[in-house]
Amino acid sequence: MGWRDLVYGAYERRVLKDLPRESLPRHVAVMLDGNRRWARARGAGTAHGHQAGADKIEELLEWCEEAGVEYVTLWLLSTDNLRRAEDELGPLLKIISNAVAELAASGRWRLRIAGAVDLLPRETSESLQRSAAATAGVSGMTVNVAVAYGGRREIADAVRDMLLEHAAKGETLEQIAARLTVEDIAGHLYTKGQPDPDLVIRTSGEQRLGGFLLWQSATSEFYFCEAYWPDFRHVDFLRALRAYAGRHRRHGT
C-alpha cells in the first residue's frame, strides 16, 4: 500500500466519522451514469463498461447499508435506452439480468423491480421478476431496481391503474375525479408504500434528472458527481451524504 492509499484511507475514515448519523437519508436513489463513456476512455467496447458498472452495484449497496440507508433505488435502464441498437441492448439486458440475479442470490437485500417490464423481452422480464420474488422474505434493505423505467411512463401507469381500480368498484369517471387526491396516484406508483427518496445521486457530471423519479423527487436533495459510475468511490458516496446532511430541508415551510 502506497502513501497515497494511506492518505486516502485516513481521509475516508475522517469523513465517515464526522457524518451526523441522525441527519442521513433513509432513501437514496442513484442514476448509474457514464458506463459507455468510461469504456470509450479506455478504448473498450460498451459491454465492458456496462459490466464494470454492474460490478460496482454490490459495493454501493454495502456502503448504503453501512450508513443505515433503508431504501435504495437504482436506475439501470430507461425506456429511452430500449431504442439502442440491438448489438448493445442485447448484451446489456443480459448483464442486468445476471447482476440482479446475483444480488438476489446473496440473500442480503429485498429486491423490487420498478419499471414497465412489459416492454422488455419475455426472458429478461421473467428473470428479473424471479430474482425479486426470491427475496420476498428478506428483511434487509429494500432495493428498487429500475429497469425499462421512465418517470412519465410511471405516472401514466399509476393513473391508469388507479382509474381501473375505481372503475372495478363501479365508480363513474365523475365520481373518481371529484375525490381524486395526490395520495390516490402515489398509491399506484412503482415505489408505492415507500418513502420518497431523500437524496438523488447522479454520476458522470450530467446535471439533469432525465425522467428519473419525477413524482417522488419533488422534495429530494440532489448531488451530482463528476466520476463515471464505474469509477464512483466510497469517498464520493460519503461526500454526497455529507452534502445532504449539511442542507436545511424546509419542505416549503
Side-chain angles (χ1 to χ4, degrees):
M1 179 181 293
W3 69 268
R4 291 180 185 276
D5 294 324
L6 291 173
V7 171
Y8 171 77
Y11 173 69
E12 188 179 56
R13 287 190 295 273
R14 186 172 71 250
V15 174
L16 180 60
K17 179 177 178 293
D18 291 343
L19 283 175
R21 294 284 169 166
E22 70 282 359
S23 301
L24 295 183
R26 291 183 64 201
H27 186 168
V28 174
V30 187
M31 305 171 71
L32 317 179
D33 195 24
N35 293 335
R36 295 195 295 178
R37 280 169 284 169
W38 180 89
R40 281 197 297 268
R42 287 157 177 76
T46 56
H48 180 67
H50 292 314
Q51 186 61 60
D55 292 341
K56 173 68 67 172
I57 292 173
E58 186 170 351
E59 198 172 9
L60 170 71
L61 297 182
E62 290 171 348
W63 300 338
C64 289
E65 240 179 5
E66 180 184 35
V69 175
E70 299 173 42
Y71 301 87
V72 179
T73 299
L74 307 171
W75 198 8
L76 303 187
L77 186 79
S78 72
T79 49
D80 290 339
N81 294 155
L82 294 174
R83 296 199 295 264
R84 291 182 179 177
E86 179 56 33
D87 62 350
E88 178 185 355
L89 183 60
L92 174 55
L93 291 175
K94 188 65 175 176
I95 288 169
I96 290 173
S97 294
N98 290 341
V100 175
E102 289 174 6
L103 293 177
S106 74
R108 296 175 61 180
W109 305 294
R110 183 176 184 181
L111 306 183
R112 291 179 59 173
I113 307 303
V117 293
D118 56 298
L119 299 180
L120 296 169
R122 190 168 84 174
E123 180 183 2
T124 304
S125 173
E126 290 178 349
S127 174
L128 293 173
Q129 293 183 76
R130 278 197 306 272
S131 295
T135 69
V138 176
S139 59
M141 185 172 67
T142 296
V143 179
N144 301 307
V145 181
V147 182
Y149 177 87
R152 290 176 176 175
R153 172 66 185 250
E154 178 183 24
I155 294 169
D157 285 348
V159 172
R160 184 183 304 108
D161 289 347
M162 183 271 299
L163 291 173
L164 290 173
E165 180 184 275
H166 285 277
K169 298 175 183 177
E171 297 180 35
T172 66
L173 183 60
E174 289 75 16
Q175 290 173 323
I176 298 170
R179 295 199 300 272
L180 180 63
T181 67
V182 168
E183 290 72 27
D184 289 329
I185 297 174
H188 291 82
L189 296 172
Y190 301 147
T191 58
K192 61 186 176 184
Q194 301 179 18
D196 290 338
D198 304 293
L199 173 64
V200 178
I201 299 171
R202 181 168 187 166
T203 59
S204 87
E206 303 290 351
Q207 298 190 27
R208 60 179 183 272
L209 278 180
F212 186 43
L213 300 178
L214 293 178
W215 182 286
Q216 298 92 327
S217 64
T219 61
S220 300
E221 298 293 328
F222 299 96
Y223 185 86
F224 300 104
C225 177
E226 292 295 324
Y228 295 140
W229 169 244
D231 285 335
F232 190 70
R233 304 166 299 168
H234 189 201
V235 72
D236 295 316
F237 178 68
L238 294 176
R239 286 169 176 162
L241 296 185
R242 183 174 63 184
Y244 170 85
R247 298 176 189 177
H248 178 49
R249 305 187 75 204
R250 292 180 294 274
H251 299 289
T253 59

